[in-house]
Amino acid sequence: QNETSVTEFILLGFSSNPALRLCLFGIFSVLYSATLMGNTLVFVLICLDYRLHSPMYFFLCHLSIVDICYASNNVPHMLRNLLGQGRTISFAGCGTQIHLYLIFALTECVLLAVMSYDRYVAICHPLRYALIMNWRVCLTLATVSWAFGFLFGTLQASLALHLPFCGPCEVDHFFCEILAVLKLACTDTAANKVLIFAVCVCFLLFPLALILISYLHILATILHIGSGAGWHKTFSTCGSHLTVVGLFYGNAIFMYMGPGSGNSSGREKVLSLFYSLVSPSLNPLIYSLRNKQVKEALLKLQRRKRVFHS
């Protein structure tokens, strides 16, 4: 009877200090707005400008979609929580948050590895790039990224939500993060934690190893480039991707595979904030809007807008 009594959870969120909560609300609102506007702008530019209709920007478009969805899954409820209007969440709502969180996070893991492969082919095999990275291959790689994220995210979420929960119902987090929810289960969760670790190996360590191998080959190719312009262009493109990769995989490994993972709620909140707000808001700046072709597309869109209004 007690095991079926939990119909909703209480998200403890951040500090109970009203002034601090209001300050955090302002900061997080700005970051969330930047995430939506930045990634939407990148998506629109890629769709409208035919010069950006290439495999690299095709995958970047998918990354923008993932970042928008990822942030929108967690942040709105967190903002309501900070205003004292949404601390409770239904069991179904909590399950939906866990499910979508896992789908988007795992999809991004695969997508970043796919983007590194695209850069490897472009730099190490430029003459065969159009043949290797044809649109059928690009669509297949994008579909595989989303399919793997959906399948393994659904598997983890299903196993976690079928556990018995009999109280307490307070989740020490700002959203229903899977490790925080597992702490409330009334049964042994060792099997779930083993599955999480196995998924981390498949979606974090394995893709990271492929990325590092790709960039070792890229580095070897760069060493044979004689022109300074070639060096600059290559480092500009790959440096942006490596920055995103380092931030994303580094924090994920530290959170889910580091010593004491799942035991420090404070650390989990900070790292989850990074995934939900900081990384999605920075990705357009790091990887897109500083790119010369994207800047030119933005200027072209602004000129078109001025002509339309005049």
Side-chain angles (χ1 to χ4, degrees):
Q1 179 67 30
N2 288 336
E3 290 181 356
T4 59
S5 62
V6 175
T7 58
E8 64 179 18
F9 293 101
I10 299 173
L11 299 173
L12 298 183
F14 297 96
S15 171
S16 59
N17 186 314
L20 179 58
R21 290 165 69 94
L22 190 60
C23 179
L24 292 176
F25 175 83
I27 295 172
F28 297 159
S29 296
V30 171
L31 288 174
Y32 182 53
S33 299
T35 297
L36 296 182
M37 291 188 294
N39 285 286
T40 301
L41 178 60
V42 170
F43 179 83
V44 171
L45 288 176
I46 293 173
C47 290
L48 293 180
D49 198 309
Y50 71 93
R51 294 174 299 176
L52 301 181
H53 293 174
S54 65
M56 182 179 79
Y57 294 106
F58 172 75
F59 295 127
L60 185 57
C61 196
H62 282 270
L63 182 64
S64 295
I65 294 172
V66 169
D67 283 340
I68 291 172
C69 296
Y70 192 89
S72 299
N73 179 47
N74 305 331
V75 177
H77 199 284
M78 178 188 68
L79 295 177
R80 291 197 301 269
N81 190 327
L82 288 171
L83 293 178
Q85 299 176 355
R87 293 190 66 196
T88 61
I89 184 171
S90 66
F91 187 87
C94 186
T96 301
Q97 275 197 346
I98 292 175
H99 191 195
L100 295 178
Y101 164 79
L102 292 171
I103 288 175
F104 298 133
L106 297 178
T107 299
E108 185 159 351
C109 288
V110 181
L111 196 57
L112 288 173
V114 168
M115 293 170 76
S116 72
Y117 174 71
D118 171 71
R119 292 300 83 207
Y120 159 74
V121 177
I123 295 170
C124 299
H125 304 283
L127 300 179
R128 300 174 56 203
Y129 179 71
L131 178 63
I132 297 175
M133 297 301 295
N134 59 68
W135 284 112
R136 177 178 294 180
V137 171
C138 292
L139 288 171
T140 300
L141 291 174
T143 302
V144 167
S145 299
W146 284 99
F148 275 25
F150 178 80
L151 290 174
F152 285 90
T154 301
L155 174 63
Q156 279 192 291
S158 299
L159 292 178
L161 295 173
H162 278 84
L163 295 173
F165 295 92
C166 51
C169 57
E170 293 182 340
V171 180
D172 191 8
H173 216 290
F174 63 85
F175 79 105
C176 286
E177 196 274 329
I178 187 168
L179 293 179
V181 174
L182 284 179
K183 295 177 183 178
L184 306 181
C186 301
T187 186
D188 183 25
T189 59
N192 297 81
K193 292 178 179 178
V194 169
L195 176 62
I196 290 174
F197 186 84
V199 169
C200 286
V201 171
C202 295
F203 283 83
L204 290 177
L205 297 185
F206 184 64
L208 182 59
L210 293 179
I211 291 171
L212 293 177
I213 292 172
S214 297
Y215 276 101
L216 286 175
H217 285 283
I218 290 173
L219 180 60
T221 302
I222 290 175
L223 293 176
H224 291 87
I225 296 177
S227 66
W231 273 75
H232 177 74
K233 182 179 180 180
T234 302
F235 275 116
S236 176
T237 303
C238 297
S240 300
H241 183 248
L242 275 177
T243 301
V244 174
V245 165
L247 291 173
F248 183 85
Y249 284 97
N251 281 274
I253 291 172
F254 184 73
M255 180 173 177
Y256 289 101
M257 304 185 74
S261 58
N263 296 326
S264 174
S265 59
R267 181 181 70 175
E268 290 175 9
K269 291 179 186 178
V270 171
L271 293 176
S272 296
L273 265 179
F274 174 84
Y275 285 114
S276 301
L277 277 172
V278 180
S279 181
S281 64
L282 289 179
N283 278 354
L285 295 174
I286 293 174
Y287 200 64
S288 313
L289 299 181
R290 62 190 291 266
N291 183 285
K292 181 181 178 181
Q293 287 179 295
V294 177
K295 287 180 181 178
E296 291 175 352
L298 181 59
L299 291 174
K300 182 179 178 181
L301 181 64
Q302 289 175 334
R303 286 195 296 268
R304 187 185 303 176
K305 186 177 179 181
R306 290 195 198 102
V307 171
F308 176 79
H309 285 293
S310 61

